[in-house]
Amino acid sequence: MKAKPIKKKFNIPWKLKSLIFGCIDYLHASRLLYFFQKYITKRSKITSLVLSQDWVKHKDSLKKYKTINKLFEFGAGKTLVQNLYLSNVVKTQFVVDLYPMIDLDLVEIVRQKLIEIVSLKSKVRIKNIKDLEFYGIYYKAPYDSTKTNLPDKSIDACISTNTLEHISKSDIIAILSELQRILKDEGIISAIIDYSDHYAHTDNNISLLNFLKFTPEKWRRYNHNIHYQNRLRHYEFIDIFKNAGFNVIKEELIYAEKNIPSDILNSYKNFNPNWKATSAHIILKKAK
């Protein structure tokens, strides 16, 4: 079971949420979404913190393959709590985002909550981006992960947590091409991917795989830039990884949806059964 910061439950009909995202896209007002999450739905509010198994999976993978010197992460999010947790294991973390989503208030809150669970290598309060360097974290946004300008074979590992499902297939391929260049020959990619319909995260009335009932044309009505979901299934990701020159050395799949609507089952009856997976932890190495 994935543990995460405990947040106030807020149920929103998914089509209403899609309409809100559409308006935000139209107005180019992404900051309005962050305000809405922080002060209205309070989905960004953190009242307590529990150890996430996602963090542990990354940590265990990094230690197992001895890739703890220099880490690259794209799509780090608002709180950097995972990076703070990993700071006791990883010497240097280069953490980037396509957009500057970091919320330093939340970063300091999770740091205070985290030290109630684990000891950190620094006790410095985080008031600005520079303070993150006391934890070996170097944050940069906006940042294009398809063009890192990092030296060849300079990264021991790349991690990604619930980010790849929000990136288009063509951009995923471009990022993997860049990772092929900057990753050391014995380096790894540790990726956790959420295959579920993210609208179901705030609407209990729909299936975790609800978005699979729509044709590509109809799905475009609900799939907005601010909340983009590529809907790629596990077998499709595996093909992308292999075609990009990576070997899959671990696959851990989770099937959290037990009541898949019959129309979706009929649509996918001839596909690899792992299309039903709602999340996965995948470890990749460069093919030799």
Side-chain angles (χ1 to χ4, degrees):
M1 181 177 69
K2 182 193 293 185
K4 58 177 65 177
I6 298 172
K7 301 174 183 176
K8 182 179 178 181
K9 184 69 177 177
F10 199 90
N11 199 72
I12 307 174
W14 76 273
K15 288 187 177 180
L16 172 61
K17 191 170 184 178
S18 172
L19 179 62
I20 293 170
F21 285 142
C23 293
I24 290 172
D25 266 3
Y26 180 77
L27 296 171
H28 302 287
S30 59
R31 290 187 177 276
L32 179 61
L33 173 62
Y34 306 145
F35 176 89
F36 189 77
Q37 290 176 332
K38 188 171 183 178
Y39 298 107
I40 307 301
T41 69
K42 300 189 185 298
R43 280 180 59 78
S44 293
K45 185 177 180 180
I46 297 170
T47 56
S48 63
L49 197 70
V50 292
L51 190 65
S52 169
Q53 290 306 301
D54 290 349
W55 314 339
V56 175
K57 287 175 183 178
H58 285 314
K59 181 195 71 174
D60 290 348
S61 301
L62 296 170
K63 292 176 69 175
K64 178 178 179 179
Y65 295 101
K66 300 178 181 179
T67 53
I68 60 174
N69 186 46
K70 193 170 185 180
L71 176 78
F72 178 76
E73 181 181 8
F74 59 93
K78 299 182 182 72
T79 71
L80 305 193
V81 61
Q82 177 175 262
N83 305 100
L84 289 169
Y85 172 77
L86 292 175
S87 68
N88 280 345
V89 176
V90 180
K91 182 178 178 181
T92 302
Q93 299 181 64
F94 188 44
V95 180
V96 305
D97 248 318
L98 185 60
Y99 304 106
M101 294 179 61
I102 191 170
D103 185 325
L104 287 168
D105 291 337
L106 290 180
V107 173
E108 174 56 19
I109 289 172
V110 298
R111 186 197 68 83
Q112 293 176 25
K113 299 292 183 183
L114 194 57
I115 60 177
E116 297 174 3
I117 304 172
V118 297
S119 59
L120 298 180
K121 69 179 183 181
S122 175
K123 296 182 180 180
V124 172
R125 287 179 172 270
I126 299 171
K127 300 176 182 178
N128 54 59
I129 296 294
K130 196 72 176 174
D131 289 338
L132 290 168
E133 296 180 14
F134 289 99
Y135 298 85
I137 300 170
Y138 297 81
Y139 178 87
K140 191 170 183 179
Y143 190 90
D144 184 355
S145 294
T146 67
K147 301 173 183 177
T148 66
N149 294 318
L150 295 173
D152 292 357
K153 299 182 180 181
S154 60
I155 299 296
D156 294 278
C158 171
I159 63 171
S160 172
T161 308
N162 300 334
T163 297
L164 283 168
E165 68 268 21
H166 297 295
I167 303 175
S168 70
K169 182 177 179 179
S170 60
D171 284 342
I172 292 172
I173 292 171
I175 291 171
L176 290 171
S177 176
E178 181 69 350
L179 291 177
Q180 270 282 354
R181 183 184 68 79
I182 66 174
L183 197 64
K184 293 179 181 178
D185 289 338
E186 296 303 315
I188 67 166
I189 298 174
S190 177
I192 293 171
I193 309 173
D194 186 343
Y195 297 136
S196 69
D197 184 340
H198 286 34
Y199 284 122
H201 297 183
T202 49
D203 187 343
N204 295 326
N205 297 314
I206 61 173
S207 162
L208 290 172
L209 299 175
N210 179 69
F211 56 7
L212 296 182
K213 68 170 62 174
F214 297 94
T215 64
E217 293 75 21
K218 289 184 178 179
W219 178 242
R220 289 193 192 102
R221 304 175 189 173
Y222 309 110
N223 200 24
H224 310 289
N225 291 334
I226 196 69
H227 192 250
Y228 177 79
Q229 301 177 72
N230 58 38
R231 300 195 299 171
L232 293 169
R233 309 321 299 154
H234 181 74
Y235 66 86
E236 294 176 288
F237 269 106
I238 296 301
D239 286 343
I240 292 170
F241 296 145
K242 290 181 177 179
N243 290 334
F246 290 95
N247 288 329
V248 180
I249 59 176
K250 177 182 177 180
E251 298 175 69
E252 179 187 345
L253 279 67
I254 295 175
Y255 298 83
E257 181 55 78
K258 305 303 180 185
N259 299 302
I260 302 174
S262 59
D263 53 346
I264 298 176
L265 287 171
N266 289 333
S267 296
Y268 280 84
K269 62 183 178 181
N270 296 322
F271 289 87
N272 189 313
N274 66 30
W275 70 265
K276 300 176 185 178
T278 51
S279 64
H281 178 213
I282 304 167
I283 299 179
L284 310 171
K285 270 194 172 184
K286 285 176 156 183
K288 295 183 179 179

